[in-house]
Amino acid sequence: MERGAGPHRDEVADVLRLIGEEAERYLAALDDVAVRGPDTDPAAETFDGELPEVGIGAAKALDELLQRQAGLIASSGPRFFGWVTGGVTPAALGGDWLATLVDQNNADWAGAPLTSQLEALSIRWLLDLFGLPKGWDGVLTTGATMANYVGLAAARRWWGLRHGVDVEEDGLAGLPSMPVFASGYVHPSDVKVLAMLGVGRANVRRLARDAAGRFDLDALRRELRALDGAPAVVIASAGEVNAGDFDPIDAVADLTQEHGAWLHVDGAFGLFAAASPRTRHLVDGVARADSVIADGHKWLNVPYDCGFAFVRDHELLTPAFGIAAAYLPPPGGPRPGFAFKGPEGSRRARSLSVWTTLRAYGRAGYREIVERHLDLAQRLARRVDQAPDLERLADVPLNIVCFRYRPPGVTEDRLDDLNRRVGELVKEDGRVYFGTTVYQGRVAFRPALVNWRTRREDVDLISDVVRELGARLTQEDGANA
Ligand SMILES: *Cc1c(COP(=O)(O)O)cnc(C)c1O
């Protein structure tokens, strides 16, 4: 038979061999490679050109990719501390590869009974891990942004019904704008979600009592009182991204309960504080919320993309996200598929990586990961405090250390620029990776520890590299002055 231009069954063996060999090589090197090589950007840009008229086949295409992969960043390695970026546990890697292999469409039970069962079970296990009530509804999403979307869509439906309107059926026309309150810690993804939901970015009122952004509870009490029983939505942050601080969820829950408001908790990474008795108090009150979310691809260390949304009331998600079609089971049925509980239709079986990693390591394994990061963050904080040329800018309640380079003799007005330049050098250097932020008006570093691979020596490099590169810069500045 003539061989066409398209895929062939006999390519599979080569693909599996190539990927298997590459996986062994990549993972063996991951702990020690530079996070970012000097030729990363140029290497990425070498991929260009027109759509090939005739392709080169699977093995050659993969081989080309493997030969030219200098454009990658070792973001799943132990020295990537930018944003809040988890790694991939061995169990999660296996589960995720299986998801590609078996390619289930985890939209409904009829088409994917095993992975739907594993999604339902994973949600129960996660509720347990996070200290949330057993019976809550939930769904796996592509990440915390879409989990926030699910939680706040449930809130919007509840709010519409309180006004006698089925928002999903009839839209928002004729309704007042939905009152939304948050602290200064509110994550930009929550704000984006309010845009996506037709509530509007400008409709979130930030009630902060200080420059860090801490919740002004007196202002929240006043605002909720002024609504005089009209429904409102309050967003609390469990783990803010600059310093890992928490809104006082229990105190916020007192107010939302007293005034009948909806409480949504964004715990993209901070919800994992519940996995250790040392930090569980930080999420006190979370079980009193109406919707709670977390990310999977951060501290659970499953691959992209994965998040979780949990909602107390079972009557909200399916009316919000169900679809009706003659070839689908009715959305109101006893066991709605997961496509009826979230924004996606056809969906990847993320439950395979989530279930596998939870089965592999259990409660104790995740407690161990979280506590190792807590210890390492405290160690970094001590090293910052002991260094005469570093300044810590915030307490370290969890896994983020916010600090800046501050050599003696450099005046405050020059520090922002100096720290920005040190930040650029850190990235070019490639031994560790993290960016700068602005914390209380000052340019700062905020490395976040969430990768299970991260060791003590990796974390020690953070302050060592900043001091070394900072000293080099200030010396050059002195020589040029
Ligand atoms: C990372 C993060 C998000 C957004 O998560 P994605 O997975 O990138 O969509 C939302 N909230 C908080 C607090 C986060 O840290």
Side-chain angles (χ1 to χ4, degrees):
M1 197 180 98
E2 199 193 330
R3 201 186 162 104
H8 258 262
R9 283 175 177 73
D10 62 11
E11 291 181 305
V12 168
D14 279 342
V15 166
L16 294 182
R17 182 182 47 77
L18 275 170
I19 287 297
E21 287 169 7
E22 174 58 17
E24 272 187 38
R25 190 205 63 76
Y26 192 86
L27 294 173
L30 187 57
D31 283 342
D32 304 303
V33 286
V35 184
R36 185 186 188 291
D39 48 353
T40 299
D41 292 339
E45 283 158 20
T46 62
F47 284 89
D48 202 355
E50 304 300 322
L51 170 70
E53 223 34 75
V54 178
I56 57 179
K60 284 192 180 141
L62 270 174
D63 196 50
E64 187 174 315
L65 208 48
L66 298 178
Q67 297 306 321
R68 293 161 64 196
Q69 57 177 308
L72 292 175
I73 288 197
S75 49
S76 60
R79 279 166 288 107
F80 189 94
F81 304 109
W83 301 285
V84 184
T85 304
V88 179
T89 65
L93 177 70
D96 189 69
W97 281 10
L98 203 53
T100 300
L101 178 70
V102 299
D103 201 25
Q104 304 286 286
N105 181 352
N106 212 34
D108 74 9
W109 290 80
L114 173 61
T115 55
S116 294
Q117 178 71 20
L118 292 178
E119 183 156 348
L121 182 56
S122 295
I123 285 161
R124 265 170 39 212
W125 285 0
L126 289 164
L127 287 168
D128 185 356
L129 182 68
F130 297 135
L132 292 170
K134 273 188 183 22
W136 283 23
D137 206 357
V139 63
L140 300 183
T141 64
T142 55
T145 300
M146 288 318 285
N148 278 323
Y149 183 84
V150 170
L152 289 170
R156 187 185 64 168
R157 176 163 182 79
W158 163 85
W159 166 82
L161 291 174
R162 288 285 311 272
H163 284 283
V165 175
D166 180 332
V167 167
E168 281 72 26
E169 205 53 35
D170 300 317
L172 291 162
L175 280 162
S177 64
M178 184 170 102
V180 182
F181 302 103
S183 74
Y185 287 163
V186 64
H187 191 272
S189 70
D190 292 282
V191 180
K192 169 176 169 172
V193 159
L194 293 172
M196 292 160 71
L197 286 168
V199 173
R201 290 192 175 91
N203 254 332
V204 55
R205 294 273 311 280
R206 290 177 184 76
L207 308 173
R209 70 172 157 86
D210 59 22
R214 294 187 180 90
F215 228 130
D216 185 339
L217 292 175
D218 294 327
L220 180 61
R221 182 178 298 109
R222 276 197 305 277
E223 294 286 351
L224 291 177
R225 221 175 249 159
L227 285 172
D228 202 19
V233 174
V234 177
I235 301 174
S237 297
E240 148 283 344
V241 292
N242 274 326
D245 196 18
F246 286 69
D247 282 329
I249 299 167
D250 213 27
V252 172
D254 285 342
L255 292 175
T256 53
Q257 261 174 1
E258 185 186 334
H259 294 279
W262 181 282
L263 175 56
H264 174 77
V265 177
D266 180 345
F269 63 94
L271 199 56
F272 282 79
S276 165
R278 286 163 52 185
T279 44
R280 198 168 289 153
H281 63 279
L282 294 169
V283 290
D284 273 353
V286 75
R288 300 167 66 195
D290 300 285
S291 52
V292 177
I293 70 98
D295 245 321
H297 50 229
K298 288 175 179 167
W299 230 340
L300 194 69
N301 280 256
V302 299
Y304 295 102
D305 40 18
C306 183
F308 333 115
F310 309 109
V311 176
R312 171 189 299 280
D313 183 344
H314 277 257
E315 304 299 313
L316 294 169
L317 292 184
T318 310
F321 292 109
I323 53 176
Y327 53 85
L328 289 174
R335 217 166 51 152
F338 286 99
F340 290 0
K341 292 172 185 260
E344 300 164 87
S346 299
R347 42 203 298 286
R348 181 175 176 77
R350 294 179 196 98
S351 58
L352 285 170
S353 57
V354 174
W355 179 87
T356 310
T357 203
L358 289 172
R359 179 74 181 106
Y361 311 118
R363 196 191 306 277
Y366 277 93
R367 174 176 168 174
E368 194 178 289
I369 292 176
V370 166
E371 292 187 347
R372 187 180 325 134
H373 293 141
L374 295 176
D375 290 340
L376 290 173
Q378 291 306 321
R379 178 182 170 89
L380 174 57
R382 277 195 305 278
R383 286 169 62 91
V384 167
D385 292 345
Q386 285 160 7
D389 48 1
L390 299 179
E391 178 187 21
R392 188 153 58 83
L393 298 178
D395 289 341
V396 182
L398 200 67
N399 62 333
I400 299 179
V401 182
C402 185
F403 71 101
R404 64 177 175 171
Y405 182 57
R406 188 183 189 176
V410 176
T411 51
E412 183 66 44
D413 59 316
R414 289 171 50 208
L415 283 174
D416 281 357
D417 179 56
L418 178 59
N419 276 277
R420 258 201 201 95
R421 288 158 63 211
V422 173
E424 285 309 310
L425 279 187
V426 168
K427 280 190 203 159
E428 279 170 35
D429 177 82
R431 277 175 288 175
V432 287
Y433 190 110
F434 45 85
T436 53
T437 186
V438 177
Y439 184 71
Q440 301 202 30
R442 292 177 243 177
V443 173
F445 310 113
R446 34 106 25 238
L449 314 183
V450 273
N451 189 315
W452 70 275
R453 284 182 174 271
T454 298
R455 303 153 299 190
R456 199 163 70 182
E457 57 267 35
D458 302 314
V459 171
D460 286 355
L461 265 181
I462 295 172
S463 49
D464 289 351
V465 167
V466 166
R467 297 183 68 190
E468 179 192 316
L469 299 176
R472 193 194 301 166
L473 257 189
T474 35
Q475 226 167 35
E476 285 168 11
D477 286 354
N480 295 337

